[in-house]
Amino acid sequence: MPNVSKHGNDSGKFRVIWLGVLSLLILALAACTTPPSASSVSSSPAGTMSAAEPAPIALVIGDSQANAGNAVPTSKSWVSQGLARAGYVPRIEGYGGTGFLKGRPKDGHPSYLESLKNGVYDLPARNVGLVVMQGGGNDLKYPDGKIKAAALQTVEILKSKYPNARFAVVSPLNQGGDPASRRIEVAQVLARVAEAEDAPFIDATGWVAESNLTRHLYPDGLHLTPEGHDRLAPVFAKALADAGLAAVVPAVRSS
């Protein structure tokens, strides 16, 4: 039997130990660099939303311009279409022939203010991003002071219900384009209401004449035909954007 020194045996043992350690290191490194399984990879691309965010609601308290009528569905009114173009889901409350003070009690449709006080409107509980007070064209016979007081109360009630929503006041149309129209005076009253409530005011009195839409009015001279609503919708959408009231796009969530 060969004479193996003790030193030689120790060297062999050290080599075996180092080889073992090196093998463990290689295995650990391979485990760290193994690609994840398909089941562990998110199906949503990076930087995209993992779930669809609902568009905010635009609640409108308005008259026949918002509610439409004359064979024009509410979803096709210039108010509804303009808000949809601005990124909202329109929710129209209010009825033709009504205003901040004017109601149609025989038809079961009180004024804006009375409807809010008595819970007549079906108001959404959440996800309201914008509240629009549209109209005033049916309040022409009332004095300015009463219109202003009713409009202020209307805004205050809605602000208490939707404290986080943005607000806008939209004047009545001046379909005839008469610069001396009572509609111009009512619009000026509502502009003061909007200023007092720190809300954007959208003056719609000149839109029909400026957009050459008088030929798209029904014989009553007040209500737009379907084509008239379609043509006025982008004008309203642009006014919302110019006032900084376009819907806020939800922040993108990464998966």
Side-chain angles (χ1 to χ4, degrees):
M1 177 179 294
N3 184 19
V4 179
S5 68
K6 186 175 183 300
H7 183 267
N9 285 336
D10 289 343
S11 297
K13 290 179 181 179
F14 286 137
R15 280 197 299 272
V16 172
I17 292 172
W18 278 112
L19 286 172
V21 171
L22 183 59
S23 298
L24 291 174
L25 287 174
I26 291 172
L27 289 172
L29 183 60
C32 291
T33 57
T34 300
S37 64
S39 62
S40 66
V41 178
S42 170
S43 59
S44 299
T48 61
M49 298 184 69
S50 58
E53 292 286 351
I57 293 170
L59 169 65
V60 181
I61 307 299
D63 55 23
S64 58
Q65 297 299 327
N67 203 44
N70 292 308
V72 180
T74 299
S75 62
K76 294 297 183 180
S77 74
W78 62 266
V79 176
S80 288
Q81 290 191 65
L83 288 165
R85 284 170 175 258
Y88 294 98
V89 175
R91 175 73 169 268
I92 310 297
E93 295 292 336
Y95 302 91
T98 64
F100 294 96
L101 285 167
K102 176 69 166 61
R104 290 169 46 194
K106 290 183 180 180
D107 300 327
H109 302 316
S111 68
Y112 300 172
L113 182 58
E114 289 303 313
S115 292
L116 287 169
K117 283 182 175 180
N118 296 315
V120 174
Y121 295 145
D122 182 18
L123 301 179
R126 58 184 65 85
N127 197 32
V128 175
L130 177 67
V131 178
V132 177
M133 279 71 65
Q134 174 275 321
N138 295 307
D139 291 320
L140 305 183
K141 71 177 184 179
Y142 296 97
D144 290 358
K146 289 189 175 182
I147 296 173
K148 182 179 180 181
L152 284 169
Q153 288 183 66
T154 299
V155 176
E156 289 300 323
I157 291 172
L158 289 165
K159 276 191 170 182
S160 67
K161 184 168 183 63
Y162 302 108
N164 299 318
R166 294 185 291 177
F167 281 73
V169 179
V170 180
S171 81
L173 299 177
N174 181 22
Q175 293 90 329
D178 179 7
S181 170
R182 172 69 175 145
R183 291 171 177 271
I184 301 291
E185 296 174 344
V186 171
Q188 292 169 347
V189 171
L190 296 177
R192 293 194 289 272
V193 170
E195 182 179 11
E197 293 293 337
D198 194 26
F201 174 70
I202 296 177
D203 186 357
T205 53
W207 289 357
V208 172
E210 292 166 3
S211 301
N212 194 26
L213 295 181
T214 52
R215 59 196 175 98
H216 295 296
L217 290 169
Y218 280 113
D220 63 7
L222 296 175
H223 299 97
L224 291 161
T225 63
E227 186 175 359
H229 281 281
D230 292 346
R231 287 176 177 269
L232 196 57
V235 177
F236 183 36
K238 183 179 184 303
L240 289 166
D242 290 346
L245 293 171
V248 177
V249 177
V252 175
R253 292 203 312 264
S254 298
S255 57

